[in-house]
Amino acid sequence: MKEAYKSRIYTERPAYADFDAPAKFEAIKSIVARRLTEHPKAICSYSGGADSDIMIDIIERTRELFGLPPIRYVFFNTGLEMQATKDHVKAVAEKYGVEIEEVRPKIGIVTAARRYGVPFVSKIMSAGLSEWQKKGVPLSITREYEQAEDKAAKRQELRERYSKCESVINFLCCCNSAGDPRPNIQLVINSSRYMRDFIAQYPPDFAINAKCCDYCKKQIAHKAQKNYEMVITGERRAEGGMRSVPRKDNTALCFGETASGQYRLRPLYYVSDADKAWYKDYYGIRYSDAYEVYGLTRTGCCGCPISYKAVEDLEKIRPYEPNVVKAAWNIFGKSYEYRAKYNAYKAARKIADRDAKRAKKDDGQMNLFGGSL
């Protein structure tokens, strides 16, 4: 019997990942103390969000307990930030007696969105659809691939027909470069249900791209982190998406070495939502007004269309910061509207598929018994 594949997320899972909250956080403090002792030249990204609040509290408590040297905290201001977040960053810096340096991108969200496009559904979906729009590969290749008996041969023929389009072909056909079907991974178009059929029926009339994230966060983060021995971030596996998938820099563990030779520490990687709630209550952490007053459950990039709750969250923000909401709609409005259309299409397709399945079942029963029951 073939052994079931298990991701490194599970095979390399440390014991403390399954501790109860009090013991888990004590283990995390020990990890932070050890790694800061080994790599004192460290920089930490602070976003002003809930995860960052838990992380900075752990780090500063650990530093004080073990007499460790200060680290550099950086807040990356994308250019579309709630006032609640900016005020909270200042308040947290004062609370712990640290400096949280604000860094802004050279190319802001407005410029990046106008120049390259706006995100849609997810970073992976945005990247795939962006390449599809640029390369102009027809959606009809998916039917060719699905109907082909020799899928490896068909994949090779598509490669020859559409040169320099490897990733687009794999994305649309839900396969790998060898022609093997891969319908259940995140890197293909149907990782979002019915997406291929949806864009065929309703082609997007705007450019899709997630480069705003690259320009407003990744690039300035890499520049700020360049000369540091260790980079600390607040990623948690429980957030899902790409943060729950092992990558080359060993996301499967809370600590690892990157290809550039830097070390990366993710102290909260195995912290669950329940763990976070316990820590907040036990240590009396106060999140920003975005959580405590507006009622958001997550902040991230304000108004980012990748969040399925983006429009809902903007309505929560509107009574307090209407100008931010207006700006988000001006930048991402096309994506919000297209997402609503996709959601309606998906709901209708689910109902249609369910009804067709029932009808087929009923027809089968009639054929079996020679009449209706």
Side-chain angles (χ1 to χ4, degrees), residues 67-122:
L68 298 170
I71 65 174
R72 182 188 177 196
Y73 290 104
V74 181
F75 166 61
F76 300 112
N77 187 334
T78 64
L80 184 63
E81 301 287 347
M82 289 177 282
Q83 190 61 46
T85 298
K86 292 185 283 189
D87 290 344
H88 187 64
V89 171
K90 293 178 182 178
V92 168
E94 292 175 4
K95 174 183 176 180
Y96 295 105
V98 299
E99 179 185 359
I100 301 177
E101 180 184 352
E102 181 179 302
V103 179
R104 287 177 172 268
K106 288 184 177 180
I107 298 179
I109 281 184
V110 175
T111 302
R114 287 176 179 171
R115 188 176 297 176
Y116 303 106
V118 295
F120 175 65
V121 174
S122 70

Side-chain angles (χ1 to χ4, degrees), residues 88 110 112 165 276 331:
H88 187 64
V110 175
C165 296
K276 236 177 68 173
I331 298 167

Side-chain angles (χ1 to χ4, degrees), residues 334-345:
K334 285 277 190 179
S335 186
Y336 297 153
E337 293 166 355
Y338 199 52
R339 180 71 169 259
K341 196 169 189 176
Y342 167 62
N343 289 342
Y345 176 87

Side-chain angles (χ1 to χ4, degrees), residues 64-313:
E64 182 179 0
L65 181 64
F66 291 93
L68 298 170
I71 65 174
R72 182 188 177 196
Y73 290 104
V74 181
F75 166 61
F76 300 112
N77 187 334
T78 64
L80 184 63
E81 301 287 347
M82 289 177 282
Q83 190 61 46
T85 298
K86 292 185 283 189
D87 290 344
H88 187 64
V89 171
K90 293 178 182 178
V92 168
E94 292 175 4
K95 174 183 176 180
Y96 295 105
V98 299
E99 179 185 359
I100 301 177
E101 180 184 352
E102 181 179 302
V103 179
R104 287 177 172 268
K106 288 184 177 180
I107 298 179
I109 281 184
V110 175
T111 302
R114 287 176 179 171
R115 188 176 297 176
Y116 303 106
V118 295
F120 175 65
V121 174
S122 70
K123 289 181 183 178
I124 292 174
M125 191 59 61
S126 299
L129 291 179
S130 176
E131 284 299 296
W132 167 64
Q133 288 180 320
K134 290 176 185 176
K135 303 289 187 180
V137 177
L139 293 175
S140 58
I141 68 166
T142 64
R143 186 173 291 105
E144 290 184 47
Y145 173 79
E146 289 169 355
Q147 294 177 350
E149 292 185 12
D150 189 338
K151 297 195 182 302
K154 172 53 67 173
R155 181 64 185 79
Q156 177 60 32
E157 190 270 321
L158 291 172
R159 176 184 291 112
E160 295 168 358
R161 194 193 318 173
Y162 302 103
S163 61
K164 298 181 181 180
C165 296
E166 286 287 294
S167 62
V168 183
I169 296 170
N170 292 346
F171 174 73
L172 293 176
C173 295
C174 302
C175 66
N176 63 16
S177 295
D180 302 318
R182 303 174 74 194
N184 300 316
I185 65 169
Q186 292 187 0
L187 300 175
V188 298
I189 190 169
N190 278 351
S191 58
S192 292
R193 197 172 184 184
Y194 306 121
M195 182 62 74
R196 193 165 57 195
D197 294 342
F198 171 71
I199 65 171
Q201 189 167 343
Y202 304 103
D205 62 356
F206 62 100
I208 296 173
N209 204 301
K211 278 191 178 290
C212 54
C213 182
D214 289 335
Y215 284 107
C216 299
K217 284 204 166 181
K218 288 184 179 179
Q219 289 188 13
I220 56 172
H222 290 161
K223 185 177 180 180
Q225 297 163 356
K226 185 177 180 180
N227 296 318
Y228 286 83
E229 187 178 1
M230 184 168 69
V231 177
I232 307 173
T233 58
E235 295 171 63
R236 292 190 305 122
R237 180 175 176 264
E239 293 177 276
M242 288 304 293
R243 296 185 177 188
S244 65
V245 180
R247 297 197 302 265
K248 290 180 180 179
D249 61 350
N250 206 10
T251 303
L253 302 176
C254 77
F255 179 78
E257 186 174 2
T258 68
S260 65
Q262 283 181 314
Y263 294 94
R264 186 173 293 276
L265 177 63
R266 302 176 178 91
L268 305 186
Y269 193 70
Y270 289 106
V271 170
S272 68
D273 291 344
D275 294 332
K276 236 177 68 173
W278 177 87
Y279 193 96
K280 181 182 190 297
D281 291 342
Y282 187 81
Y283 287 104
I285 306 297
R286 190 186 190 283
Y287 297 152
S288 78
D289 283 354
Y291 296 87
E292 308 281 3
V293 179
Y294 304 178
L296 303 184
T297 57
R298 200 170 169 179
T299 50
C301 294
C302 183
C304 178
I306 286 174
S307 170
Y308 73 96
K309 296 189 346 179
V311 173
E312 178 185 336
D313 284 347

